[in-house]
Amino acid sequence: MKLRKVTVAASAALVLSLTAAGCGSSGGGTSGSTSGKKITVGIKFDQPGIGLKTPDGKYTGFDVDVATYVAKQLGHQPGDIVWKEAKSADREALLQRGDVDFVAASYSITPARSEKVDFAGPYLLAHQDVLIRADDDSIKKPEDLNNKKLCSVTGSTSAQNVKTRIAPNAQLQEYGGYSECLTGLENKVIDALTTDDSILAGYAAQPEFKGKFKLGGFKMSNENYGIGVMKGSDLKAKINTALEKMVQDGSWDEFVKKNFGPADYHNEPAPKIGVIVS
């Protein structure tokens, strides 16, 4: 009986050892190595056109297409990718803990964030804009938002920035999420929704909203989307090489048209690697 107990314990230890070794080969890490077959990528799960997890468990959007392309250049097939939700407030922590290999989640490059993580890219230049009803001709410039009901998503500073800097008389209406703002916009409860134009275009491009909304085209800020990696990771250089190839072979244009085209999104040209537009 004593011999059997020792054997079981030893077997358990061996299993734990093998499990730990397996985990170490597929997650993030200080070196940024992707030597294991699996690669873990952080994306948004709730932004149509950018990063969306569909009810049937699939993943769609511009960031998903970019991340899939990059992963392939790093030696990983689409089936090797483990998608992990990267909410805005969690992105730096996911990278710092090594929970993901990289993050592609409408992740604007800023000085504060660059102190905590490294960025490859940028791969998209977005701008803060507004989404309005297609038949609304009363909002032709940012200042026209004065006395208009402007949707503010809880936890977002976009609408407050408009009120502070551009339209002090805008009437902020706080909603729990973008989908609620869109419903309010469709039903004329609110007049405009503001956030990055790429995100707005993603929503407007959805089949149920086709032809109902339009972007203002106001370009109220510059948002340089980058791919976040752990500080000091050698993945940064490898991802930059992949992004350059993505632009050169036409894949970038294909991804933009596929995900934003239905919203008549007038995108900026593909940005140059390392060039941050302030």
Side-chain angles (χ1 to χ4, degrees), residues 88-119:
S88 296
D90 299 334
R91 291 175 296 199
E92 286 86 27
L94 288 171
L95 289 166
Q96 291 173 328
R97 291 196 304 260
D99 293 343
V100 295
D101 291 288
F102 66 82
V103 169
S106 54
Y107 202 3
S108 296
I109 302 172
T110 67
R113 290 169 178 166
S114 296
E115 291 180 1
K116 301 176 182 178
V117 301
D118 284 340
F119 284 99

Side-chain angles (χ1 to χ4, degrees), residues 66-168:
V66 170
T68 301
Y69 184 99
V70 168
K72 187 172 183 179
Q73 296 303 308
L74 296 175
H76 303 274
Q77 295 303 312
D80 300 334
I81 302 173
V82 177
W83 300 107
K84 189 175 183 68
E85 184 173 20
K87 296 180 179 179
S88 296
D90 299 334
R91 291 175 296 199
E92 286 86 27
L94 288 171
L95 289 166
Q96 291 173 328
R97 291 196 304 260
D99 293 343
V100 295
D101 291 288
F102 66 82
V103 169
S106 54
Y107 202 3
S108 296
I109 302 172
T110 67
R113 290 169 178 166
S114 296
E115 291 180 1
K116 301 176 182 178
V117 301
D118 284 340
F119 284 99
Y123 63 92
L124 183 72
L125 176 59
H127 306 281
Q128 186 178 346
D129 201 354
V130 296
L131 192 69
I132 55 181
R133 287 183 294 279
D135 60 357
D136 186 351
D137 295 323
S138 66
I139 302 174
K140 297 180 179 179
K141 58 185 183 298
E143 290 76 16
D144 290 338
L145 294 168
N146 278 308
N147 301 313
K148 297 290 188 179
K149 295 179 180 177
L150 182 64
C151 184
S152 173
V153 175
T154 304
S156 170
T157 59
S158 296
Q160 186 61 53
N161 288 341
V162 171
K163 185 175 177 67
T164 301
R165 296 171 39 240
I166 299 170

Side-chain angles (χ1 to χ4, degrees), residues 24 26 44 56 81 150 154 186 227 244 253 258:
S26 61
K44 291 293 181 66
D56 59 358
I81 302 173
L150 182 64
T154 304
E186 185 177 16
I227 293 182
E244 289 174 342
D253 291 310
K258 170 186 172 185

Side-chain angles (χ1 to χ4, degrees), residues 178-192:
Y178 291 116
S179 295
E180 295 173 48
C181 283
L182 286 164
T183 300
L185 185 59
E186 185 177 16
N187 296 331
K188 300 185 178 181
V189 177
I190 62 169
D191 299 304

Side-chain angles (χ1 to χ4, degrees), residues 54 168 224 235:
T54 62
N224 300 269
L235 275 183

